[in-house]
Amino acid sequence: MAGEGRLSFSVASVVEDVLQQHGNRPRDLDLESRKAEEAASRRYEAAGWLRKMVGVVAARDLPAEPSEEEFRLGLRSGIILCNVINKVQPGAVPKVVESPDTVLVPDGAALSAYQYFENVRNFLVAVQEMGLPTFEASDLEQGGKSARVVNCVLALKSYGEWKQTGGNGVWKFGGTIKSTSLGTKSFIRKNSEPFMNSLSRTSSINEKSLNSHSDLDSNKMSSSGSFSMLVRAVLLDKKPEEIPTVVESVLSKLVEEFEHRIASQYEQMKTAPYHVNKSLLKSAIVDKKGEDKNVKGSKREECFQKNNISDEELKSQSLKQKMIFDQQHEDIQELKHTLHTTKAGIQFMQMKFHEEFSNLGIHIHGLAHAASGYHRVLEENRKLYNQVQDLKGSIRVYCRVRPFLSGQSNYLSTVDHIEEGNITINTPSKHGKGWKSFSFNKVYGPSATQAEVFSDMQPLIRSVLDGYNVCIFAYGQTGSGKTYTMTGPRELTEKSQGVNYRALSDLFLIAEQRKDIFRYDVAVQMLEIYNEQVRDLLVTDGSNRRLEIRNSSQTGLNVPDASLIPVSSTADVINLMNLGQKNRAVGATALNDRSSRSHSCLTVHVQGKDLTSGTMYRGCMHLVDLAGSERVNKSEVTGDRLKEAQHINRSLSALGDVIASLAQKNPHVPYRNSKLTQLLQDSLGGQAKTLMFVHISPEPDAVGETISTLKFAERVATVELGAARVNKDSSDVKELKEQVLTLSVTVISIEFCNFCFIVLKQFE
Ligand SMILES: Nc1ncnc2c1ncn2[C@@H]1O[C@H](COP(=O)(O)OP(=O)(O)OP(=O)(O)O)[C@@H](O)[C@H]1O
């Protein structure tokens, strides 16, 4: 294993450090010579001890420091060996065959076979019985292994010395001999001795150990073998008493190294996956244990203690890691659950979204359907609205009393009193005071404002935009306030603006409001009828030619040759009216105020197009300022004045006849009796609406004319008023009102739907 390799190498490094500390470097040693030195040393020791045991005389054949050969030859007879063993263990060799003479046998001469066999055999048997290391008899021959003989002798020496000290306890170098050891064959090795196999120099080592030792040397070994060899090399030249210090040093270093290794592996384990750390640590522990086989005593216990601490730390760490793992596992499960819930939520939202989207589609479809129906409803609304206007009366007559002009405040008014649609006039009579009452749609007193007067005609402006024709007349004697009602005073203010301005302002306002649904084109004509001649008042070249009236025109223009000026605002119309007034004044003379002697007619042509359906609507509004209605006394006027008066009377009478015929629903309406009725033919009768503002002056001296005017107007109004009054309470009116109400609600709903539709479209 890698760990083992690292550890072995580490041990070698440690030893090397120790060797350096002790001034020796193993790689500088000549191992062979050291080995030889060691062998010689051991041989000398063995020889010295044998000589000492038998005496120098008996050991004369054995030098104190013999060579291998001398050592072998000296012991070959077996006499020294047997005598020595008998001294150590008396009676071990019962009979020693002594040499027949003491003559030194020449070197290399063979002893008698008997001597050779008997002594050596007896010695080897005795040694074997004592459990000491033995050798082969052939080891004493030439080429034999003298080292084994040396080992045997040294073992015997050790045993002898141990025995001399009492033979109790631990045998110093080899083992513990049992009480029966004398009779037994072997020693028991003491395993707690460190480096027993490699370090023992006193030959407690048996033959097998020596062989393995030799193998280790010869094979150059593994790193642990190297380690042993190196330690041996260190110890070779050390005295026995020095060994403990060196060994102590080596062991300390080893322990330090192991602790360092353990600590570093523990650090690795903290960062590496749990199981890997564990296996590494295990291997480290195994390695350490392997090394520790040779490390005994207190140092090893200390090391084990530290290992135990590491184990505890490891267990604690493992427990922590397990807790973290469990927590992470729980978190993952929770996240999975959350993910699952979120997915389900999203799916639900998607489903809801599709559902909502689908509903929205249906709703939009409904709205689109409603929007398409919106125009149909509008059309119906338009018709109903105008029916209501009809029920109010397609011909309405209003009476307006002019206030006294400045400087006339002392006069007594001809108007006695005004009550709703009735006006009572003071009439002078031969028998004193008299009264005469007249009925109209409404009577405006002298204090009525321009706005109040306009409010009654305002609903008809919408009818014009819906394609209906409207005629608004200002009737009355000269100076009664016709122009004031239709246009306003000379000094115009917003408040004093007349019907014309207000009607046109309204018309453009409504057209603007409807611009998304309708497109309106507005154009203006301004004509004058003087002495039954029709003239164009909007000419700019000063021409004053007569114009023809053609009622059959497809364009809706009865006077197609008159100037038709497109307008897009009230200001445009005012400018044109000013132009018309200017042209009208051209014809006036100092003695003849033409504005009172002619009818002026401002006609606003409106053409509307339904942008959805393409339907065209065409309507027009005639704003007519009639000539003065005062009667002309034929005896008092002649010439042109008489002619003017006759034309005016005839045309006003024709107008009265037409309106009366319309009101009475006569099959024949005499439009052709005057240019005025001819011009207004399309706007009088049918679905057209007619409004007449009858003006009277309050001055008593004009009471005759006032009564005459009122009689004329009442002739128009009475029939219509009668019909209106009948209809007012009829069930038709009630039903129609309900329909209008329902329709209004529908229109509002549809308007709202349309608004929603537009808003939804914005979101698309
Ligand atoms: N309601 C009114 N309030 C205040 N002033 C008025 C009113 N009506 C008319 N007048 C004034 O009376 C005078 C005559 O009015 P106006 O010119 O409108 O009469 P007319 O009928 O149009 O006359 P003509 O037929 O000559 O045109 C003017 O000065 C006008 O300002």
Side-chain angles (χ1 to χ4, degrees):
M1 281 175 72
E4 288 173 357
R6 280 202 302 272
L7 205 61
S8 298
F9 178 75
S10 167
V11 170
S13 303
V14 170
V15 173
E16 196 167 344
D17 288 345
V18 174
L19 290 174
Q20 281 178 342
Q21 286 174 11
H22 287 267
N24 288 308
R25 292 184 65 80
R27 54 175 163 266
D28 296 334
L29 295 175
D30 183 346
L31 294 178
E32 291 299 326
S33 85
R34 288 242 178 222
K35 187 180 168 187
E37 277 179 25
E38 185 192 7
S41 176
R42 288 165 59 79
R43 193 167 61 246
Y44 298 161
E45 186 184 353
W49 178 70
L50 289 172
R51 281 164 61 86
K52 185 182 160 189
M53 289 295 285
V54 296
V56 290
V57 176
R60 60 183 180 278
D61 295 336
L62 184 64
E65 292 186 347
S67 65
E68 270 193 72
E69 187 63 18
E70 286 172 342
F71 186 76
R72 191 174 51 79
L73 287 171
L75 298 179
R76 198 170 67 170
S77 65
I79 296 168
I80 294 173
L81 292 173
C82 289
N83 288 329
V84 168
I85 198 170
N86 279 338
K87 286 198 173 180
V88 172
Q89 185 75 27
V93 178
K95 186 183 178 185
V96 180
V97 179
E98 296 292 341
S99 175
D101 50 48
T102 57
V103 178
L104 186 64
V105 178
D107 190 19
L111 287 175
S112 66
Y114 176 79
Q115 283 181 309
Y116 174 80
F117 179 75
E118 281 295 320
N119 286 340
V120 173
R121 184 184 63 85
N122 289 339
F123 175 78
L124 290 175
V125 169
V127 165
Q128 196 172 8
E129 284 179 350
M130 289 169 71
L132 295 175
T134 62
F135 55 89
E136 297 292 329
S138 61
D139 288 336
L140 293 172
E141 296 298 326
Q142 196 170 9
K145 293 179 179 174
S146 64
R148 292 204 288 189
V149 181
V150 171
N151 283 338
C152 179
V153 171
L154 289 177
L156 186 62
K157 175 181 176 261
S158 175
Y159 179 69
E161 287 170 352
W162 172 72
K163 200 174 174 190
Q164 276 183 348
T165 59
N168 295 321
V170 177
W171 182 34
K172 187 178 177 184
F173 294 107
T176 304
I177 198 158
K178 294 180 183 172
S179 57
T180 57
S181 65
L182 292 176
T184 59
K185 304 286 181 184
S186 62
F187 295 105
I188 297 170
R189 288 182 62 194
K190 183 185 174 188
N191 292 327
S192 60
E193 286 284 342
F195 305 110
M196 178 57 72
N197 290 334
S198 57
L199 301 184
S200 174
R201 289 195 294 169
T202 49
S203 199
S204 61
I205 309 165
N206 59 21
E207 192 173 28
K208 190 178 175 186
S209 302
L210 285 170
N211 286 339
S212 70
H213 178 105
S214 178
D215 289 344
L216 287 172
D217 284 344
S218 64
N219 291 337
K220 306 298 178 192
M221 303 177 297
S222 64
S223 56
S224 61
S226 298
F227 168 67
S228 302
M229 187 182 73
L230 291 171
V231 172
R232 276 187 63 221
V234 172
L235 297 179
L236 272 176
D237 58 351
K238 297 289 183 288
K239 292 174 183 174
E241 57 272 20
E242 290 179 308
I243 293 170
T245 312
V246 174
V247 171
E248 185 81 18
S249 178
V250 170
L251 289 175
S252 298
K253 276 283 176 184
L254 279 173
V255 168
E256 275 177 24
E257 181 64 18
F258 279 129
E259 283 174 355
H260 174 69
R261 288 287 165 181
I262 293 291
S264 66
Q265 287 189 359
Y266 175 70
E267 287 300 318
Q268 285 176 7
M269 182 194 68
K270 282 207 293 187
T271 52
Y274 171 70
H275 66 280
V276 174
N277 280 341
K278 196 173 176 183
S279 66
L280 280 174
L281 198 65
K282 254 187 175 178
S283 68
I285 290 166
V286 168
D287 288 347
K288 182 169 170 45
K289 280 181 179 173
E291 290 292 334
D292 280 353
K293 280 180 183 174
N294 297 322
V295 182
K296 311 289 184 179
S298 60
K299 292 291 177 186
R300 196 180 71 167
E301 284 170 12
E302 188 183 330
C303 192
F304 281 154
Q305 197 175 357
K306 287 187 176 175
N307 280 344
N308 287 338
I309 292 165
S310 296
D311 281 344
E312 280 173 15
E313 285 175 356
L314 183 64
K315 275 182 186 173
S316 159
Q317 187 64 24
S318 300
L319 201 64
K320 278 182 188 170
Q321 286 182 342
K322 191 172 181 309
M323 283 169 65
I324 291 167
F325 178 78
D326 289 345
Q327 184 60 43
Q328 285 176 344
H329 184 70
E330 265 178 41
D331 290 346
I332 288 168
Q333 292 301 321
E334 200 174 323
L335 278 172
K336 274 184 179 174
H337 179 71
T338 308
L339 183 68
H340 183 73
T341 311
T342 310
K343 265 186 181 176
I346 287 169
Q347 280 173 353
F348 178 75
M349 289 290 285
Q350 275 182 339
M351 193 186 73
K352 273 280 169 200
F353 173 75
H354 282 301
E355 211 172 274
E356 289 290 322
F357 200 72
S358 172
N359 287 341
L360 204 61
I362 293 166
H363 192 61
I364 287 172
H365 188 74
L367 283 174
H369 183 71
S372 70
Y374 174 67
H375 292 282
R376 285 201 307 276
V377 175
L378 269 186
E379 172 62 22
E380 199 163 343
N381 182 43
R382 187 179 70 86
K383 285 177 185 168
L384 285 169
Y385 179 86
N386 286 287
Q387 277 183 31
V388 172
Q389 298 304 316
D390 283 347
L391 286 170
K392 279 186 177 178
S394 59
I395 299 170
R396 295 176 223 169
V397 182
Y398 300 93
C399 180
R400 185 177 192 185
V401 181
R402 175 175 60 75
F404 283 108
L405 298 175
S406 55
Q408 297 179 332
S409 55
N410 293 331
Y411 289 161
L412 203 64
S413 176
T414 53
V415 179
D416 187 74
H417 66 273
I418 298 168
E419 191 180 359
E420 287 196 5
N422 296 314
I423 181 170
T424 303
I425 303 294
N426 292 316
T427 56
S429 74
K430 294 173 185 172
H431 310 289
K433 233 180 172 184
W435 298 273
K436 192 162 179 61
S437 293
F438 299 90
S439 293
F440 300 98
N441 288 80
K442 194 168 187 176
V443 178
Y444 299 103
S447 58
T449 63
Q450 298 283 69
E452 283 176 49
V453 174
F454 176 71
S455 66
D456 274 314
M457 68 157 290
Q458 193 174 21
L460 296 179
I461 307 301
R462 184 178 154 184
S463 291
V464 176
L465 289 163
D466 286 342
Y468 297 90
N469 295 340
V470 174
C471 270
I472 299 169
F473 296 101
Y475 180 86
Q477 64 188 91
T478 299
S480 60
K482 300 186 292 297
T483 304
Y484 186 93
T485 296
M486 298 304 286
T487 307
R490 282 185 195 278
E491 304 300 324
L492 258 185
T493 61
E494 194 179 342
K495 199 176 173 184
S496 63
Q497 279 184 342
V499 167
N500 291 353
Y501 296 110
R502 292 174 189 267
L504 286 163
S505 291
D506 249 35
L507 189 132
F508 285 114
L509 182 70
I510 297 169
E512 175 67 19
Q513 288 170 349
R514 294 182 176 184
K515 68 178 179 185
D516 292 332
I517 306 163
F518 293 96
R519 195 194 71 214
Y520 289 104
D521 294 316
V522 183
V524 169
Q525 283 182 318
M526 198 166 176
L527 301 169
E528 179 189 47
I529 300 173
Y530 176 69
N531 288 341
E532 288 297 284
Q533 289 178 9
V534 180
R535 297 183 189 279
D536 186 357
L537 289 178
L538 296 182
V539 290
T540 50
D541 56 0
S543 63
N544 196 20
R545 66 188 178 94
R546 291 170 57 177
L547 299 174
E548 294 299 318
I549 298 172
R550 300 192 190 98
N551 295 117
S552 59
S553 170
Q554 293 293 317
T555 57
L557 297 172
N558 289 341
V559 187
D561 297 331
S563 301
L564 181 69
I565 313 294
V567 288
S568 56
S569 67
T570 312
D572 290 346
V573 181
I574 290 170
N575 289 335
L576 290 174
M577 283 169 69
N578 289 336
L579 173 67
Q581 290 299 335
K582 219 182 280 178
N583 285 332
R584 195 178 181 187
V586 168
T589 62
L591 299 173
N592 187 9
D593 184 1
R594 185 155 162 173
S595 68
S596 302
R597 309 270 63 106
S598 67
H599 310 299
S600 78
C601 181
L602 174 72
T603 304
V604 182
H605 298 273
V606 178
Q607 184 170 285
K609 182 180 182 182
D610 189 324
L611 295 175
T612 309
S613 64
T615 310
M616 299 294 290
Y617 299 96
R618 194 174 286 121
C620 68
M621 178 168 63
H622 302 281
L623 299 163
V624 186
D625 190 350
L626 294 169
S629 61
E630 62 273 10
R631 292 162 301 167
V632 177
N633 192 337
K634 288 179 186 175
S635 58
E636 293 176 2
V637 294
T638 54
D640 291 342
R641 199 61 194 270
L642 182 61
K643 190 180 169 188
E644 281 176 359
Q646 288 171 339
H647 282 302
I648 292 167
N649 286 342
R650 203 175 297 140
S651 63
L652 290 176
S653 178
L655 179 64
D657 292 342
V658 167
I659 293 173
S661 295
L662 289 170
Q664 292 167 13
K665 301 197 187 315
N666 289 342
H668 175 69
V669 180
Y671 291 110
R672 303 198 70 82
N673 288 348
S674 71
K675 292 289 182 189
L676 180 65
T677 49
Q678 228 177 309
L679 178 70
L680 302 175
Q681 183 173 340
D682 297 337
S683 303
L684 294 170
Q687 290 187 321
K689 316 287 181 293
T690 301
L691 256 71
M692 182 172 281
F693 288 95
V694 178
H695 296 82
I696 57 171
S697 302
E699 293 84 16
D701 54 354
V703 67
E705 287 301 327
T706 298
I707 290 173
S708 173
T709 301
L710 289 173
K711 278 185 177 173
F712 169 83
E714 194 180 42
R715 177 184 167 223
V716 176
T718 306
V719 178
E720 191 68 15
L721 280 174
R725 279 170 185 153
V726 170
N727 286 334
K728 199 175 178 183
D729 300 321
S730 72
S731 59
D732 286 353
V733 173
K734 282 182 183 173
E735 194 181 327
L736 205 59
K737 276 184 178 175
E738 282 172 13
Q739 281 184 25
V740 169
L741 190 68
T742 311
L743 206 63
S744 298
V745 172
T746 310
V747 167
I748 289 166
S749 305
I750 288 173
E751 288 279 9
F752 179 72
C753 288
N754 198 31
F755 170 76
C756 293
F757 184 70
I758 289 163
V759 170
L760 283 171
K761 254 192 158 181
Q762 293 289 326
F763 279 106
E764 278 181 358

